[in-house]
C-alpha cells in the first residue's frame, strides 16, 4: 500500500499570466499556474500535507511545465491524465492604485474532460479528506459526475469530504450553482462558503444563525463562512459558532485567497487542530497569500505560517 495521502483535491488547472501594470500596457507577463482546486492543493502541500491532485491537462506546449511544477510542489500527480483539448488560460493584473484586471479563457479546455474514469475507489480510500468545488462541477456534466463519484467513494470508506461552492457569475448562474450544491450537499462533511457570493446566491438566507442551522440539518459537520463585511470568518461546529478576524486587511490581490484558506484549513484539521484553531491557521495562509499578485505563487510555506501561528498572531 502506498503512503496515505492527507488530502485529495479534484478540479481544473489553468495557465496564469500576470502583471503589476495594466494589461494593455504590459510588455512582459509572468507565467505561473492557477485554478481553485489546484490552489487548495498547493496551499495544503506547502503547509506540510501529503496531497494528491486529480485533473485532466492539455497535451500542449504547457503540459510538461505544469507536470514538472506540480512535482516540485510535492503533489502526487499519479491521477493527472491528459486530454487533446488545450489548457485553460487567464490574465490578471493589479496596477498600483487601480482595480484588478482579469481576462478568462476557459471554454472547451482539458479539465472539462474530467469523468468518473479519472476516479478510483482505492485512491480515494487511501486519503483522509477529498475536496472539490462548484467550479469543478461547472466544467461539464462528466466533471460533475466525477465529483459525485469521488464523494460516494469517500463516504463508503470513512473519508472526510469537503466542498466549496465558490460561486462566480463568470462561470455559472445562481440556478445552476444551486442545483450543483443540492446534488452534493448530502455527502459533505466540511463546507466553505462566502457570505458575499455563496450564501446569497445559493441559500438565499440572510441570517447567519439560520444559515448554520439549515446546513447542520443537511448533515454537514463543519461550516466556515467567509464574511468580508464582518472582516473575518464564522466557524460553526458542534452547535457552536465562533468568529475569527482576517489575519490582515492590507491585501494586494485576493485571487484564490479563499482557496488558499481552504487548503490551510484542511491541512490543519488533518494534523490535529480543532476546526476553530484551523480557521485561525488558515486565515494566516490566506492573508499572506493575498499580499502578492496571482493565485498560487504567493501562497506561503510551512515555516512562515507556523512561526506566526505559534506566536498566536492574528494581525499583520
Amino acid at each position: 500500500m502506498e503512503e496515505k495521502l492527507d488530502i485529495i483535491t479534484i478540479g481544473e488547472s489553468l495557465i496564469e499570466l500576470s502583471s503589476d501594470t495594466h494589461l494593455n500596457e504590459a510588455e512582459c507577463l509572468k507565467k505561473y499556474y492557477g485554478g481553485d482546486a489546484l490552489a487548495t492543493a498547493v496551499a495544503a502541500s506547502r503547509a506540510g500535507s501529503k496531497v494528491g491532485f486529480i485533473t485532466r491537462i492539455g497535451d500542449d506546449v504547457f503540459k510538461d511545465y505544469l507536470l514538472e511544477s506540480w512535482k516540485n510542489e510535492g503533489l502526487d500527480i499519479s491521477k493527472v491524465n491528459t486530454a487533446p483539448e488545450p489548457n485553460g488560460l487567464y490574465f490578471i493584473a493589479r496596477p498600483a492604485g487601480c482595480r484588478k484586471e482579469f481576462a478568462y479563457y476557459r471554454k472547451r479546455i482539458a479539465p472539462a474532460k474530467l469523468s468518473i474514469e479519472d476516479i478510483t475507489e482505492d485512491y480515494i480510500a487511501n486519503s483522509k479528506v477529498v475536496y472539490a468545488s462548484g467550479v469543478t462541477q461547472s466544467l461539464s456534466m462528466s466533471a460533475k459526475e466525477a465529483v459525485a463519484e469521488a464523494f460516494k467513494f469517500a463516504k463508503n470508506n470513512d473519508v472526510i469530504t469537503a466542498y466549496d461552492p465558490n460561486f462566480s457569475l463568470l462561470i455559472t448562474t445562481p440556478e445552476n450553482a444551486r442545483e450543483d450544491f443540492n446534488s452534493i450537499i448530502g455527502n459533505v462533511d466540511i463546507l466553505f462558503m462566502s457570505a458575499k457570493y455563496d450564501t446569497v446566491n445559493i441559500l438565499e438566507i440572510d441570517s447567519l444563525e439560520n444559515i448554520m442551522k439549515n446546513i447542520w440539518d443537511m448533515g454537514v459537520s463543519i461550516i466556515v463562512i467567509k464574511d468580508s463585511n464582518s472582516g473575518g470568518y464564522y466557524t460553526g461546529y458542534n452547535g457552536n459558532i465562533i468568529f475569527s478576524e482576517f489575519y490582515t486587511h492590507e491585501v494586494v490581490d485576493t485571487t484564490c485567497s479563499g482557496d488558499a484558506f481552504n487548503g490551510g484549513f484542511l491541512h490543519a484539521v488533518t494534523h490535529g487542530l480543532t476546526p476553530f484553531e484551523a480557521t485561525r491557521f488558515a486565515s494566516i495562509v490566506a492573508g499572506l497569500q493575498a499580499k502578492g499578485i496571482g493565485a498560487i505563487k504567493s501562497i506561503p510555506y510551512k515555516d512562515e505560517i507556523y512561526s506566526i501561528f505559534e506566536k498566536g498572531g492574528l494581525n499583520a
Side-chain angles (χ1 to χ4, degrees):
M1 175 69 72
E2 295 180 356
E3 188 175 16
K4 193 175 184 72
L5 295 169
D6 295 308
I7 301 158
I8 294 170
T9 77
I10 308 166
E12 69 179 0
S13 65
L14 301 152
I15 296 297
E16 174 188 276
L17 297 175
S18 66
S19 173
D20 57 5
T21 188
H22 292 286
L23 288 173
N24 66 342
E25 298 173 355
E27 295 182 358
C28 180
L29 295 167
K30 295 179 181 178
K31 180 183 68 176
Y32 217 75
Y33 41 90
D36 71 328
L38 179 57
T40 296
V42 172
S45 181
R46 290 185 183 180
S49 284
K50 300 179 182 66
V51 185
F53 182 47
I54 299 175
T55 193
R56 291 280 187 108
I57 63 168
D59 191 7
D60 61 18
V61 294
F62 294 110
K63 182 183 76 171
D64 292 340
Y65 163 69
L66 292 173
L67 291 175
E68 285 303 313
S69 296
W70 300 344
K71 285 180 184 177
N72 292 336
E73 290 285 1
L75 301 182
D76 178 85
I77 57 172
S78 60
K79 295 300 179 182
V80 173
N81 296 316
T82 58
E85 287 73 15
N87 289 294
L89 174 71
Y90 68 94
F91 297 83
I92 186 167
R94 178 66 84 171
C98 299
R99 295 183 64 181
K100 178 173 68 177
E101 298 173 354
F102 192 82
Y104 203 22
Y105 301 91
R106 188 177 176 260
K107 291 185 178 180
R108 295 183 291 277
I109 59 174
K113 293 298 181 180
L114 266 168
S115 73
I116 58 174
E117 295 176 359
D118 298 300
I119 309 298
T120 58
E121 185 165 8
D122 59 341
Y123 190 70
I124 299 297
N126 193 40
S127 66
K128 299 176 184 176
V129 176
V130 173
Y131 169 86
S133 73
V135 174
T136 308
Q137 291 174 301
S138 75
L139 285 164
S140 62
M141 182 57 69
S142 65
K144 186 187 300 189
E145 291 170 350
V147 173
E149 186 85 343
F151 277 34
K152 181 186 74 175
F153 287 153
K155 284 297 183 181
N156 290 344
N157 291 278
D158 296 321
V159 173
I160 295 168
T161 56
Y163 176 76
D164 188 335
N166 218 347
F167 176 80
S168 170
L169 283 171
L170 288 172
I171 62 172
T172 191
T173 65
E175 293 76 20
N176 287 340
R178 204 171 299 126
E179 180 182 334
D180 290 344
F181 177 88
N182 290 332
S183 73
I184 201 74
I185 194 63
N187 280 329
V188 173
D189 298 309
I190 301 173
L191 178 66
F192 304 105
M193 298 192 86
S194 159
K196 185 176 181 180
Y197 301 108
D198 298 328
T199 59
V200 172
N201 288 287
I202 296 173
L203 296 179
E204 299 178 296
I205 302 172
D206 293 329
S207 163
L208 174 72
E209 290 76 14
N210 286 338
I211 290 170
M212 291 287 186
K213 183 180 184 303
N214 273 269
I215 294 173
W216 278 327
D217 288 345
M218 294 175 187
V220 178
S221 299
I222 302 169
I223 309 152
V224 182
I225 297 177
K226 308 158 191 178
D227 188 357
S228 56
N229 288 332
S230 298
Y233 307 90
Y234 292 94
T235 306
Y237 174 64
N238 202 24
N240 298 308
I241 302 172
I242 293 180
F243 177 77
S244 304
E245 292 182 11
F246 290 147
Y247 168 67
T248 181
H249 295 277
E250 298 175 4
V251 301
V252 175
D253 179 14
T254 58
T255 304
C256 279
S257 61
D259 308 312
F261 175 95
N262 296 352
F265 187 95
L266 296 178
H267 165 79
V269 295
T270 56
H271 285 76
L273 298 186
T274 69
F276 306 115
E277 293 169 333
T279 297
R280 186 166 68 86
F281 182 94
S283 179
I284 295 168
V285 176
L288 293 174
Q289 185 271 349
K291 290 188 174 186
I293 294 176
I296 291 178
K297 60 186 172 184
S298 53
I299 291 175
Y301 289 84
K302 179 178 180 178
D303 289 348
E304 183 180 13
I305 303 164
Y306 274 96
S307 175
I308 297 169
F309 178 75
E310 290 169 357
K311 291 176 183 176
L314 273 177
N315 297 302

